Amino acid sequence: MSDQSRNSWIKQDNPRLVSARQKDIYEDILEDRRHSSDVVWSFRTREEPKYKYNKPRTPDEIRKHVMHSDRVKYAVEKVCSESGLPIEEVWKQAEEVMQEMSHNLSMGAIRGFAMFMVKVLKSLFKRVYVNTEGIQKVREMLVEYPVLLMPSHRSYFDFLLMSYVFYSYDLPLPVIAAAMDFMGMKFFGWLLRNSGAFYIRRSFGDDMLYWAVFTEYVQSQLVNGDHPIEFYVEGTRSRTSKSYAPKFGMLSASLEPYFKAHIPDIMVIPISISYDKILEETLYSYEILGVPKPKESTSGLFKARNLLSEDFGNVHVHFGEPLSIRKYTDGKVDRSVHSLAPRYIASLSDDENKLIQNLGYKVLLLHQEHMVISPWSLMAAVLVQNKDGIKIKQLEKEVEWIKRQATNLGAYIDWPGNESADAVLRSTLALHKNIAEVDSEDVVHLLEIQHPTRGSQDELMQAAAQHLIITLYKNQLMHIFVRVSMVTLSINSCTEETMSMNELYSKYEFLEHLLNRDFIFMPDSTKQDFENAMLTLTHNCGVVVEDGLLQVKKSTNKYTTFFSQMFEPFLLGYWVSFYSNEN
Amino acid sequence: MSKDRLTVVNKHICENSSNCYSLTQCNGTEKNNVAGQNEAPSMPKRRQEVLKWNGWGYKDSKFKVNKDGQVEFTGERYKLSGQTMPMLKEWMMATVGISLDHKTPAQPELTAKDIQAPIKNEEFMSDLRRTGISNTDDCQDRLFRAHGHTLHEIFLLREGKFKRIPDLVVWPTSHNEVVKIVELCCRHNVVLIPFGGGTSVSSALECPSAEQRMIVSLDTSQMNKILWVDEKNLTACCEAGIIGQDLERRLSEKGFCTGHEPDSMEFSSLGGWVATRASGMKKNIYGNIEDIVVHIKFVTPKGVMEKSCQVPRMSSGLDIHHFIMGSEGTLGVVTEVTLKIRPIPTCRKYGSIVFPQFENGVNCMREVARQRCAPASIRLMDNQQFQFGSALKPESKSLLQSFIEGIKKFYITKLKGFDPHKLAVATLLFEGTNEEVAAQEKRVYEIAAQFGGLPAGAENGERGYMLTFVIAYLRDLGFEYYIVAESFETSVPWDRCLDLCNNVKDRLYRECKEHGIQFPPYITCRVTQTYDAGACVYFYFGFNYRGISNPVQVYEAIENLAREEILANGGSVSHHHGIGKIRKQFLKQTVGDVGVGTMKAIKNYIDPENIFGNDNLMIGDLSSKL
């Protein structure tokens, strides 16, 4: 007992000896699984909260309901009269669509899935962090209102993780709108379907029958609160780690029941899933370079690399504040316009469509707000500009500087406060040892990136892949800086001594317009974004405004230069493609 | 029993009336002698001698907490009178957090010094004097006609003061006298507000506070004769001031009824029903007021408007009846109405059905409507209202009764597995011949069984109907203990009925939280009428306002939000309460610009000087929320 604490109520006063099970608002959900039987855990009894108006139904009953719904009947009759096909034929088509689409969620499969997942997760990740307060809110909301889960999408693992998190917190398993790609996978496709995945075609344009079955299938489950419904507003995995522009089909199908007053409200839960290391990192960088994406197959998923033997660090799953659709739309739409037609005939007002679009962007911005930034992203931002190597001391200095700027702009950085910067950098480098290493002279330099299935490529491809994989991580930072950078870009390129605020704003507007496919901007809030960016720059970053005029010279400093440099590649990219198109 | 009630009232009136008023005897020449014609009006001129001046109903009837700390209903008019309800106090404490230690007593009765002096148009007064029409400027008579029974009106009586009240009350006794009064008002630019039973819950009777002209309240209570009964055509012509209970009682002496029974029928008048488009509980057999009316005599500033014949239906351009009904006193005053009458049915029977959940009940009602086999009345109460009904059970007089109750409860909750906190109850009223009633019962209970409903006896049914009569009295007890409460209603297509009930309740709960209400509110609804294409839904909403300084404003704000929710759910602005003043903001959304414009054009033609200036409906600035 020589190590007895000086204060008896302190159990552990060496910070290094405290486990990282609890970290800030997060809790690791793998820790307990590492010390208990997976089988017992998977087969334990679970008490799930249920939506208060829910009537329990089996997947089969849901399908039956859809096939007997007014909406599908209406569509079948319409298709019949337009195409001249016999009605039995159209009904058969509808039935096929239904079979292809529907999930088969069963508790047995879920338990199997959970057992499989816990083993996979334990071998892949050190820790899976979840903010417990967010979970608590989801639990409360599930009882009161139908719930839409809208996670960010950076990896295949997203929906496996989501289901696992719900399983482990004794929440009802979500049903997940998945792309058809998975359906073909042998064992995995079956497992996913039985774990709640339902498959939708990527595009079905004006296929009325498909629309009807799809809409009824989604809405019926939402309205009855059978399960929380999960889908990706980005539509597909982001290959760049930036948020993709939102897609609206699934979102409008899900929100229509509120606009048509089937339900009192819908709670949208934005979920940010941040990976220290993305499983598909090399696949993505080659895919962007045009090497075709391998066809989804079960063996491909795990064989691709010895995934299971590799360490992918931590994952953070952040459940955002539930967003009430009633509150979000209050005063902006008049739901009574739907009083004059049966509710099964699809129709949304212009106001409602506009609001749905707004919401899509809003959710993405909320994703970004709660992304957990790893030290590696900060390092990537430096490394991308020092491809020939950089001394680790210098890297440390630069990283610390960026860290401060990002924090000031509201970023959440996963930086262990009880470690020295040097230790953080080195352990991060160890995690990404396939991308960079530190040599005996303490110089950090990048490594060759092998294509996972095709082996090494030519030198140009190599260099490009290396650049892209680093950019993938640097991109995780970009949304934090984009608004201030759009101001500083104009400052840095200005040749006059002063610039009027109007001019600065109109340049900002132009840049937003130019970059709105690369970054997420809330529609109709350009002015406010601009003003907020100006406030940050003048308060924190030495930008000077006098007599309503921006003082260019006084405002040019390390901050404005750095911010601009981060984004110059985008402008360059547009400039190059513009000229190559011209010719 | 009703005869006893009448004699009591009569005695009461006769004693007083000779002192204060010269009763103008009916001087019209009767075509047909209807029994009871010579009896005095059951509503005296000085109504506050029979009725509460600041609450609902008769002075002798009210809920009170007796010396044992139990709630008791006083008087001897009602089945509940003289009974104590041992469960009611506990129910009130549990559902709305009433505490007997926290009381909000009403102000004492207002007297001359508290009430503003009347505005007098002297030329009008001297012309009126020449007609000999009974009138008064007595302050309490004027105050009584300054309001209906909207929450904020009663609250003002209890704790505040009206900004504007009528300056004079006139009691015409015939159509011709009404014509004279309207002429004089037009000649001297005096505002006229018709006053029937005074049971409005839309602020329709309140005087516009900015009105500078003299305001005359035209009280129709002395026009209460049944002028003739035509047994060949089954019609009766009545003066518009007759109140529901008198109409039914007098017709019953000849073996007839109209079957029109709004919940307010003890006090509301025939003219009021026409002017507000009233609806009766038994409309499934007898129809709503628009189905019952055959002919209307309507006095307007432009003259008398009426049809030239009394036929079951005619095609003659726009139907003038249809803009008299629902005009809410903005165009003129109804003086005489010819109604359809029916022979009194031989059999009258209550019934009830218990459902495992509200949704089953709604589906059952929908099926009953689809098969068009609804009995005289069918209403579905939600669980909260069922609980409330149970709390109204009087002390069991016999051991046997409580034993039977226990067995019933055991059967339903234990053997049938109904959750007492989820089940819903439909109350039924059957009317017809014995055979008809038996056949109806069989059919309705068969349909109910398809939706998991079990017959639950006549007593539950009867208590359900009693609840709607006494709830207005109960509100007055609530007022004593920091409770504000009110009802509102709507009509809605069948496919949206259940969603509307759920969504409006959810909205109310949420808005209570948002508005900082400290106690759980009481929110309940019932599907109270069925139609081919939809249903009428009735909500009760009340809350304990301890900790809130402006309860009435908060109540009104929340009710308006609930109304917005109703409209968003495809419901209507009102099924039968009307627009009045409190729902004016929703009129434009309901009928559109052209609709409001048309109403205004009619008003402009009939009443360009705005003599009927009660400010209801389309009059004045319609601040549109859209």
Side-chain angles (χ1 to χ4, degrees):
Chain A
M1 296 302 268
S2 57
D3 267 348
Q4 179 72 48
S5 265
R6 286 152 301 282
N7 289 312
S8 62
W9 49 273
I10 298 178
K11 235 167 87 186
Q12 199 57 266
D13 65 355
N14 182 350
R16 275 161 210 287
L17 296 179
V18 179
S19 102
R21 183 179 190 276
Q22 296 287 343
K23 186 182 71 179
D24 194 358
I25 54 173
Y26 293 100
E27 168 187 82
D28 174 22
I29 55 171
L30 286 187
E31 176 94 2
D32 291 345
R33 301 288 76 74
R34 296 193 195 274
H35 310 295
S36 69
S37 153
D38 295 340
V39 179
V40 171
W41 178 76
S42 306
F43 286 89
R44 76 200 196 282
T45 47
R46 302 168 76 250
E47 276 292 322
E48 294 178 354
K50 268 275 166 214
Y51 176 49
K52 60 184 174 187
Y53 296 127
N54 171 261
K55 285 192 301 269
R57 301 190 291 182
T58 64
D60 215 40
E61 284 166 339
I62 297 172
R63 281 190 285 269
K64 272 211 190 87
H65 166 92
V66 172
M67 295 314 287
H68 288 103
S69 66
D70 293 336
R71 184 190 305 272
V72 172
K73 194 167 153 241
Y74 176 77
V76 165
E77 280 165 9
K78 212 156 173 201
V79 167
C80 228
S81 73
E82 280 170 17
S83 65
L85 286 170
I87 193 147
E88 300 78 27
E89 180 59 31
V90 183
W91 272 116
K92 220 181 107 205
Q93 283 177 18
E95 186 64 47
E96 281 164 14
V97 169
M98 183 79 273
Q99 289 306 331
E100 171 193 282
M101 184 182 303
S102 57
H103 68 76
N104 222 349
L105 187 68
S106 78
M107 213 47 220
I110 289 294
R111 292 186 189 282
F113 167 84
M115 196 155 67
F116 161 78
M117 272 305 289
V118 71
K119 292 205 182 299
V120 171
L121 288 177
K122 280 196 290 194
S123 86
L124 283 179
F125 301 111
K126 279 202 205 88
R127 293 183 183 278
V128 172
Y129 283 114
V130 178
N131 64 327
T132 41
E133 203 180 315
I135 290 286
Q136 194 46 38
K137 280 179 185 156
V138 172
R139 190 186 303 279
E140 284 161 19
M141 283 306 147
L142 273 168
V143 179
E144 296 295 321
Y145 304 107
V147 163
L148 278 184
L149 304 169
M150 292 169 69
S152 61
H153 204 11
R154 302 284 178 271
S155 167
Y156 278 142
F157 244 84
D158 291 332
F159 66 86
L160 305 179
L161 256 176
M162 283 289 295
S163 295
Y164 179 78
V165 167
F166 272 63
Y167 184 84
S168 82
Y169 280 104
D170 288 351
L171 295 170
L173 267 284
V175 293
I176 308 128
M180 300 288 281
D181 315 352
F182 297 108
M183 213 177 71
M185 297 163 79
K186 266 185 210 140
F187 164 74
F188 214 56
W190 172 87
L191 180 68
L192 291 185
R193 206 188 266 278
N194 283 272
S195 310
F198 63 95
Y199 295 105
I200 46 179
R201 298 179 190 163
R202 281 218 184 275
S203 61
F204 37 94
D206 51 4
D207 183 340
M208 200 168 24
L209 200 59
Y210 195 91
W211 257 113
V213 174
F214 159 72
T215 309
E216 187 64 30
Y217 187 61
V218 170
Q219 294 189 358
S220 160
Q221 297 187 73
L222 188 79
V223 168
N224 188 42
D226 293 302
H227 311 279
I229 293 182
E230 175 182 329
F231 68 97
Y232 301 101
V233 67
E234 292 162 282
T236 184
R237 290 170 300 153
S238 163
R239 272 42 166 196
T240 61
S241 272
K242 290 184 297 178
S243 302
Y244 279 2
K247 301 264 187 298
F248 306 113
M250 181 73 192
L251 190 57
S252 37
S254 316
L255 296 195
E256 198 189 61
Y258 172 72
F259 294 126
K260 300 259 172 98
H262 282 285
I263 35 181
D265 200 350
I266 297 173
M267 286 293 162
V268 169
I269 320 271
I271 297 146
S272 317
I273 306 178
S274 324
Y275 295 88
D276 278 359
K277 187 174 169 75
I278 295 170
L279 282 86
E280 297 97 325
E281 54 183 13
T282 42
L283 279 177
Y284 286 165
S285 42
Y286 278 100
E287 200 184 317
I288 294 170
L289 288 170
V291 179
K293 159 179 160 191
K295 195 169 162 28
E296 258 64 79
S297 76
T298 311
S299 52
L301 189 69
F302 290 104
K303 241 190 270 167
R305 247 176 11 208
N306 294 322
L307 272 185
L308 292 175
S309 61
E310 223 177 298
D311 174 11
F312 287 87
N314 296 338
V315 188
H316 291 81
V317 185
H318 184 280
F319 287 80
E321 189 70 27
L323 195 145
S324 150
I325 294 301
R326 162 182 302 294
K327 280 197 186 145
Y328 192 72
T329 58
D330 196 26
K332 295 184 194 133
V333 294
D334 174 14
R335 288 178 291 157
S336 72
V337 297
H338 300 299
S339 297
L340 296 180
R343 292 185 288 178
Y344 59 78
I345 300 176
S347 64
L348 285 175
S349 69
D350 292 347
D351 285 344
E352 285 160 351
N353 279 319
K354 196 171 162 220
L355 232 118
I356 288 167
Q357 302 208 349
N358 260 293
L359 181 68
Y361 283 96
K362 169 91 179 167
V363 167
L364 289 173
L365 291 172
L366 288 169
H367 283 166
Q368 295 181 346
E369 197 180 320
H370 295 290
M371 280 291 181
V372 172
I373 308 284
S374 77
W376 178 240
S377 301
L378 307 174
M379 290 160 72
V382 181
L383 289 173
V384 82
Q385 293 177 16
N386 296 276
K387 291 229 185 75
D388 302 327
I390 180 172
K391 276 275 196 189
I392 197 156
K393 269 283 153 230
Q394 182 61 24
L395 179 61
E396 184 187 319
K397 226 175 101 189
E398 299 284 340
V399 164
E400 293 256 32
W401 186 84
I402 301 176
K403 185 179 124 209
R404 201 165 60 242
Q405 306 319 314
T407 311
N408 281 343
L409 284 162
Y412 183 99
I413 295 167
D414 180 34
W415 192 278
N418 52 8
E419 300 280 353
S420 71
D422 186 67
V424 173
L425 257 54
R426 282 177 196 275
S427 70
T428 308
L429 280 165
L431 184 63
H432 296 274
K433 58 179 188 289
N434 59 324
I435 302 175
E437 66 174 15
V438 52
D439 64 18
S440 51
E441 282 155 37
D442 276 352
V443 174
V444 180
H445 56 87
L446 300 173
L447 299 170
E448 246 178 51
I449 305 297
Q450 302 269 314
H451 188 276
T453 50
R454 285 158 203 255
S456 59
Q457 307 272 324
D458 64 57
E459 208 171 303
L460 182 67
M461 266 317 226
Q462 264 298 336
Q466 193 183 58
H467 179 80
L468 284 171
I469 205 166
I470 281 288
T471 309
L472 185 70
Y473 290 100
K474 183 200 79 168
N475 274 348
Q476 295 175 347
L477 277 181
M478 298 301 272
H479 65 88
I480 300 165
F481 293 103
V482 64
R483 288 169 189 77
V484 287
S485 299
M486 277 159 46
V487 177
T488 61
L489 278 168
S490 309
I491 299 176
N492 271 28
S493 63
C494 181
T495 49
E496 308 287 321
E497 298 225 328
T498 61
M499 195 181 346
S500 76
M501 294 308 278
N502 277 344
E503 197 188 340
L504 190 58
Y505 177 62
S506 71
K507 288 187 169 172
Y508 180 92
E509 258 184 321
F510 167 77
L511 283 173
E512 185 183 297
H513 188 66
L514 183 73
L515 295 175
N516 71 7
R517 279 168 191 278
D518 282 295
F519 297 98
I520 302 301
F521 301 107
M522 194 69 189
D524 304 324
S525 57
T526 312
K527 185 87 199 172
Q528 208 194 329
D529 283 354
F530 171 74
E531 277 163 9
N532 287 342
M534 278 310 291
L535 280 176
T536 309
L537 288 169
T538 49
H539 286 183
N540 255 346
C541 309
V543 169
V544 182
V545 179
E546 280 170 11
D547 307 326
L549 292 175
L550 183 104
Q551 308 297 313
V552 174
K553 210 167 196 169
K554 285 186 198 168
S555 302
T556 308
N557 55 30
K558 170 154 190 187
Y559 298 98
T560 51
T561 313
F562 174 79
F563 295 154
S564 304
Q565 274 171 3
M566 264 185 116
F567 285 82
E568 270 162 14
F570 286 92
L571 301 190
L572 213 63
Y574 280 108
W575 186 78
V576 168
S577 52
F578 177 74
Y579 274 96
S580 57
N581 281 345
E582 280 284 278
N583 302 331
Chain B
M1 195 194 114
S2 52
K3 250 193 163 163
D4 298 346
R5 192 196 296 172
L6 182 74
T7 36
V8 173
V9 176
N10 265 343
K11 242 198 260 162
H12 201 84
I13 299 158
C14 296
E15 278 166 11
N16 292 295
S17 55
S18 50
N19 303 337
C20 327
Y21 299 97
S22 54
L23 254 173
T24 325
Q25 281 302 320
C26 344
N27 45 11
T29 49
E30 274 86 48
K31 276 194 201 166
N32 187 339
N33 193 23
V34 177
Q37 202 61 270
N38 294 323
E39 71 185 38
S42 62
M43 206 48 74
K45 287 183 178 176
R46 250 184 113 69
R47 297 187 191 204
Q48 57 273 31
E49 286 171 354
V50 184
L51 304 180
K52 294 194 192 75
W53 76 279
N54 66 351
W56 179 260
Y58 297 105
K59 281 173 118 167
D60 51 32
S61 302
K62 65 174 184 226
F63 284 95
K64 68 166 194 191
V65 179
N66 66 18
K67 58 183 190 321
D68 307 327
Q70 299 287 3
V71 180
E72 175 187 325
F73 194 67
T74 64
E76 44 198 53
R77 291 174 189 274
Y78 301 97
K79 222 175 166 179
L80 217 54
S81 300
Q83 309 256 26
T84 53
M85 287 135 271
M87 283 170 294
L88 188 56
K89 187 182 77 178
E90 206 170 310
W91 177 82
M92 288 174 86
M93 297 205 288
T95 46
V96 284
I98 272 189
S99 144
L100 294 186
D101 301 332
H102 295 88
K103 288 194 74 173
T104 39
Q107 61 187 345
E109 188 154 3
L110 297 179
T111 53
K113 68 173 174 14
D114 308 312
I115 296 169
Q116 57 267 57
I119 296 174
K120 284 262 165 87
N121 181 322
E122 290 303 339
E123 287 149 356
F124 170 80
M125 288 304 293
S126 70
D127 277 359
L128 183 68
R129 237 168 271 132
R130 251 172 296 208
T131 64
I133 297 170
S134 165
N135 66 76
T136 182
D137 63 358
D138 176 282
C139 59
Q140 288 178 339
D141 284 329
R142 286 163 48 222
L143 180 65
F144 197 95
R145 284 151 191 88
H147 63 86
H149 283 269
T150 320
L151 170 68
H152 87 103
E153 293 170 330
I154 301 301
F155 211 80
L156 267 185
L157 289 171
R158 291 177 59 90
E159 304 198 354
K161 193 178 167 183
F162 285 101
K163 285 211 181 93
R164 188 80 171 84
I165 69 170
D167 301 304
L168 189 79
V169 180
V170 295
W171 285 282
T173 54
S174 68
H175 168 78
N176 289 338
E177 286 192 355
V178 173
V179 172
K180 271 186 218 156
I181 293 167
V182 173
E183 268 173 21
L184 290 183
C185 286
C186 290
R187 190 181 306 152
H188 300 291
N189 196 20
V190 166
V191 173
L192 197 57
I193 299 184
F195 187 94
T199 56
S200 145
V201 284
S202 60
S203 278
L205 291 167
E206 231 186 321
C207 298
S209 55
E211 184 57 75
Q212 301 293 315
R213 297 174 287 177
M214 178 177 179
I215 299 177
V216 172
S217 175
L218 189 156
D219 185 323
T220 59
S221 63
Q222 309 308 304
M223 297 169 55
N224 69 336
K225 291 180 286 297
I226 295 175
L227 297 176
W228 46 258
V229 173
D230 179 345
E231 296 188 23
K232 291 260 175 357
N233 293 308
L234 285 178
T235 52
C237 182
C238 313
E239 289 183 316
I242 192 164
I243 58 173
Q245 56 169 322
D246 291 353
L247 177 62
E248 291 302 296
R249 188 182 55 249
R250 289 195 215 153
L251 284 176
S252 74
E253 284 159 10
K254 302 206 87 186
F256 295 106
C257 66
T258 65
H260 185 70
E261 293 186 13
D263 289 349
S264 60
M265 70 170 293
E266 292 172 283
F267 309 105
S268 57
S269 70
L270 173 58
W273 300 339
V274 170
T276 57
R277 278 191 108 81
S279 171
M281 181 179 97
K282 299 193 292 192
K283 72 97 197 152
N284 292 337
I285 294 181
Y286 301 97
N288 286 317
I289 195 72
E290 67 270 23
D291 309 309
I292 298 174
V293 158
V294 177
H295 184 268
I296 303 169
K297 212 180 252 188
F298 193 55
V299 182
T300 76
K302 271 273 186 304
V304 176
M305 179 158 71
E306 63 180 319
K307 293 183 184 176
S308 66
C309 51
Q310 299 191 128
V311 291
R313 180 178 194 275
M314 71 171 156
S315 176
S316 53
L318 305 185
D319 191 334
I320 58 172
H321 282 179
H322 278 284
F323 58 83
I324 295 172
M325 285 187 286
S327 60
E328 300 188 5
T330 60
L331 301 175
V333 49
V334 179
T335 55
E336 289 171 15
V337 181
T338 305
L339 297 162
K340 295 185 205 167
I341 55 173
R342 299 289 306 161
I344 292 176
T346 47
C347 179
R348 191 182 156 101
K349 201 169 170 189
Y350 287 105
S352 66
I353 306 166
V354 53
F355 293 99
Q357 288 193 48
F358 188 66
E359 182 176 356
N360 303 54
V362 173
N363 293 338
C364 173
M365 289 197 47
R366 204 278 162 266
E367 187 56 32
V368 165
R370 194 196 316 273
Q371 297 191 21
R372 289 197 173 167
C373 61
S377 167
I378 175 167
R379 288 174 168 179
L380 176 72
M381 303 189 289
D382 69 1
N383 186 265
Q384 288 86 343
Q385 210 160 120
F386 160 72
Q387 306 267 1
F388 173 36
S390 309
L392 278 176
K393 272 186 201 165
E395 231 164 357
S396 253
K397 292 276 165 22
S398 75
L399 237 112
L400 181 69
Q401 204 180 343
S402 54
F403 179 68
I404 292 172
E405 290 282 318
I407 293 206
K408 269 193 219 155
K409 200 172 162 191
F410 178 78
Y411 175 71
I412 286 176
T413 59
K414 292 293 180 315
L415 294 185
K416 287 288 167 179
F418 285 18
D419 181 345
H421 297 287
K422 280 193 177 153
L423 59 82
V425 173
T427 60
L428 308 163
L429 175 62
F430 299 93
E431 276 193 15
T433 63
N434 291 334
E435 298 77 43
E436 280 166 356
V437 167
Q440 275 181 27
E441 278 185 304
K442 184 165 175 283
R443 201 162 163 200
V444 171
Y445 291 132
E446 269 170 16
I447 294 173
Q450 291 168 27
F451 296 91
L454 299 170
E459 197 209 336
N460 275 320
E462 194 174 359
R463 199 168 41 240
Y465 289 99
M466 184 179 72
L467 183 147
T468 59
F469 280 89
V470 302
I471 196 158
Y473 283 105
L474 194 65
R475 183 171 78 167
D476 289 333
L477 179 68
F479 278 136
E480 299 273 330
Y481 296 97
Y482 281 94
I483 304 296
V484 285
E486 178 81 288
S487 62
F488 54 90
E489 40 72 48
T490 188
S491 48
V492 60
W494 277 117
D495 71 314
R496 287 168 169 272
C497 183
L498 180 67
D499 292 341
L500 181 136
C501 295
N502 290 341
N503 293 349
V504 170
K505 285 182 184 178
D506 183 80
R507 185 75 186 262
L508 286 168
Y509 280 115
R510 274 172 93 158
E511 295 298 344
C512 284
K513 257 187 226 162
E514 304 262 309
H515 284 79
I517 291 163
Q518 311 282 316
F519 297 84
Y522 181 63
I523 297 165
T524 169
C525 75
R526 67 169 184 266
V527 180
T528 202
Q529 284 291 6
T530 64
Y531 292 88
D532 286 350
C536 168
V537 181
Y538 209 96
F539 291 91
Y540 293 120
F541 166 46
F543 58 85
N544 185 330
Y545 65 86
R546 269 164 65 201
I548 292 178
S549 59
N550 52 348
V552 175
Q553 275 132 293
V554 170
Y555 175 85
E556 285 174 352
I558 297 177
E559 191 190 311
N560 279 337
L561 292 167
R563 182 62 60 184
E564 267 179 38
E565 186 66 31
I566 287 173
L567 298 182
N569 277 265
S572 65
V573 65
S574 169
H575 171 264
H576 58 274
H577 283 176
I579 298 289
K581 297 180 192 64
I582 63 170
R583 279 177 283 273
K584 270 172 94 163
Q585 58 179 305
F586 301 106
L587 185 61
K588 198 163 164 183
Q589 188 183 349
T590 301
V591 300
D593 286 331
V594 180
V596 171
T598 308
M599 289 188 202
K600 284 191 166 173
I602 291 174
K603 167 80 180 171
N604 245 335
Y605 172 75
I606 292 185
D607 184 18
E609 302 301 323
N610 196 21
I611 297 304
F612 287 90
N614 59 11
D615 213 12
N616 292 337
L617 287 177
M618 76 316 245
I619 300 178
D621 180 31
L622 274 194
S623 54
S624 166
K625 286 209 104 181
L626 279 183

